[in-house]
Amino acid sequence: MDLDSRYPAVSDLAHRARRRLPKFVWEYLDSGTGTEATKARNRAALDQVGFLPSILHGPIDIDLSTSLFGETLPLPFGVAPLGMSGLIWPDAERHLARTAATADIPYSLSTVATQSPEDLAPHLGKQGWFQLYPPKDPDIRKDMLARAKASGFKVLILTADVPVASRRERQVRSGLTQPPKLTPRLMAQVMMRPAWAMGMAQRGMPHMRTLDKYISGEMGNLSSTAHVGYLLRTSPDWDYVQWLRDHWDGPLVIKGTMRPEDALRLQQIGADALWVSNHAGRQFDGTPASIEMLPKIRQVTDLPLIFDSGVESGLDILRALALGANFVMLGRAFHFALAALGPSGPAHLINILKKDLEANMGQLGCSSLLKLPAPYTLPTAPYPNQ
């Protein structure tokens, strides 16, 4: 059986990933924070966004291309950044960067990933994005931007919605520490997952290689959900955004925008795009779903809007685009794919999403992403088969 037959949906990849990952790694990838109400809210709110299907429109040729930052991209989605990506699967960043380059879609590298900008330079395509967790020291800041630029990253993302470490209780209960330490409890989990264990044995336990240049000595007392990056970083303010605008000569994206009034001010300060996101429910458990705030932010700005949080299908991508997004990013889904299928997983996920986009656009009689119909609000009550 081919991959399409065995793993036709993101849920299939997630199910297999859970069976291949040590529990503490799965909890790190899949968990939210608090009672995970925001994570559930993201899913429920997306499911309320529907469309009226079209009939008698005849055959159509579907074009999935879109425009962002003055360039035409073949697909309306890309790879979101994920901290400690290499903990999920050995050499994760390189596999994801190569797949994204082949597909000509954006790949985003986190400051706290397990490979550095220089590591990925040979594998980066034309759409490299660098996500900045904001260093406090301006000299470190300047050096990070220079390293990203020299390595071929074109777009800078400021993640603004992590002013402090979240609690992520599931992650804490799992026994994961930062940096990761294989205690007897975790070793027992590793021994039950041979594919992950063999890969890690070859690569070594992951750490945040971008930060090696700036940190020496012991980490001190950090919470189990914080990490070495918290020794360097600060909670950014408006002056910080202005500083980045003055020192980065490419597109600047502000990630974590959830308030329309912030969107207005960010447009005035010179941001090139806003990323509507509640961090997939991993930071704060009392926020609306990202999809709920997307149309409100679209009403006040004409900047490109990027969207994430809870996206699991091509239909979800269409939902976000119909409500005002220009582009959609997926983080967990790409790592589910890696953990499920190894290096071949991300390409299979791209194929899943592409086919789902085409199938749903065919139902809508829609040949272009620019011609999506207005969304239709679906009932919130569960249907009989749920």
Side-chain angles (χ1 to χ4, degrees):
M1 297 175 67
D2 62 16
L3 293 180
D4 284 328
S5 300
R6 298 180 65 187
Y7 311 106
V10 172
S11 57
D12 299 303
L13 297 174
H15 180 71
R16 179 167 167 81
R18 186 170 189 174
R19 290 189 285 114
R20 298 187 81 204
L21 292 176
K23 182 179 179 181
F24 70 94
V25 178
W26 172 258
E27 296 294 86
Y28 173 72
L29 173 60
D30 187 61
S31 63
T33 194
T35 64
E36 302 195 332
T38 295
K39 183 183 173 188
R41 197 176 296 119
N42 282 334
R43 181 67 261 156
L46 280 164
D47 285 337
Q48 281 188 260
V49 182
F51 301 93
L52 289 173
S54 169
I55 62 172
L56 302 176
H57 47 68
I60 56 174
D61 293 323
I62 294 172
D63 179 9
L64 296 178
S65 67
T66 191
S67 179
L68 188 65
F69 302 134
E71 297 188 38
T72 299
L73 300 175
L75 296 166
F77 61 86
V79 185
L82 194 145
M84 288 296 288
S85 189
L87 177 68
I88 309 304
W89 200 254
D91 214 11
E93 293 91 349
R94 184 168 61 89
H95 294 315
L96 290 168
R98 282 181 169 180
T99 302
T102 299
D104 196 24
I105 63 173
Y107 167 73
S108 309
L109 177 71
S110 173
T111 301
V112 293
T114 61
Q115 295 192 33
S116 69
E118 294 84 358
D119 292 331
L120 291 190
H123 314 290
L124 205 61
K126 296 183 295 181
Q127 306 299 333
W129 298 14
F130 183 73
Q131 178 225 25
L132 185 72
Y133 275 117
K136 183 177 182 180
D137 187 307
D139 290 332
I140 293 177
R141 228 181 289 164
K142 290 176 185 176
D143 190 61
M144 274 194 191
L145 298 192
R147 291 172 63 189
K149 180 69 71 174
S151 298
F153 290 87
K154 293 183 176 180
V155 176
L156 181 67
I157 310 159
L158 172 66
T159 291
D161 61 352
V162 188
V164 296
S166 64
R167 301 200 60 218
R168 301 188 194 177
E169 291 84 346
R170 271 177 63 191
Q171 180 180 321
V172 173
R173 293 185 198 106
S174 77
L176 177 65
T177 61
Q178 296 290 356
K181 296 178 182 178
L182 288 180
T183 63
R185 174 187 172 191
L186 300 193
M187 277 298 299
Q189 297 177 24
V190 169
M191 291 173 64
M192 298 173 64
R193 299 293 186 261
W196 186 92
M198 289 177 62
M200 287 299 170
Q202 294 171 355
R203 298 283 302 177
M205 282 302 290
H207 69 285
M208 300 167 185
R209 287 175 55 84
T210 299
L211 305 182
D212 283 349
K213 182 177 180 179
Y214 313 117
I215 288 185
S216 60
E218 295 297 319
M219 284 179 57
N221 295 319
L222 290 175
S223 75
S224 61
T225 57
H227 50 67
V228 67
Y230 282 85
L231 296 178
L232 296 175
R233 65 201 259 189
T234 185
S235 177
D237 56 16
W238 292 99
D239 289 339
Y240 198 104
V241 177
Q242 185 64 66
W243 187 97
L244 289 177
R245 180 65 289 168
D246 294 341
H247 288 81
W248 179 261
D249 63 0
L252 173 63
V253 180
I254 310 302
K255 183 176 185 289
T257 308
M258 288 284 283
R259 294 187 179 193
E261 60 267 32
D262 290 342
L264 275 172
R265 190 170 176 185
L266 287 166
Q267 179 167 344
Q268 294 167 355
I269 212 170
D272 295 290
L274 307 178
W275 190 319
V276 181
S277 170
N278 59 27
H279 220 94
R282 291 166 73 81
Q283 284 303 118
F284 179 55
D285 206 25
T287 179
S290 297
I291 199 71
E292 293 179 280
M293 299 311 299
L294 177 60
K296 301 179 189 303
I297 292 172
R298 172 46 71 212
Q299 288 176 359
V300 302
T301 182
D302 56 4
L303 287 178
L305 297 183
I306 298 160
F307 175 83
D308 78 15
S309 298
V311 178
E312 298 177 343
S313 65
L315 178 56
D316 286 345
I317 293 170
L318 293 180
R319 287 164 161 155
L321 296 176
L323 286 173
N326 298 87
F327 203 77
V328 175
M329 299 292 266
L330 299 90
R332 279 194 183 108
F334 273 102
H335 289 79
F336 290 155
L338 256 181
L341 303 174
S344 64
H348 178 56
L349 173 61
I350 291 172
N351 185 54
I352 287 174
L353 297 173
K354 182 174 182 290
K355 287 185 174 180
D356 199 42
L357 282 165
E358 291 171 341
N360 286 289
M361 288 177 70
Q363 290 293 323
L364 299 177
C366 205
S367 61
S368 165
L369 297 173
L370 297 175
K371 299 177 181 178
L372 287 174
Y376 182 92
T377 302
L378 300 174
T380 57
Y383 293 99
N385 64 341
Q386 292 185 318

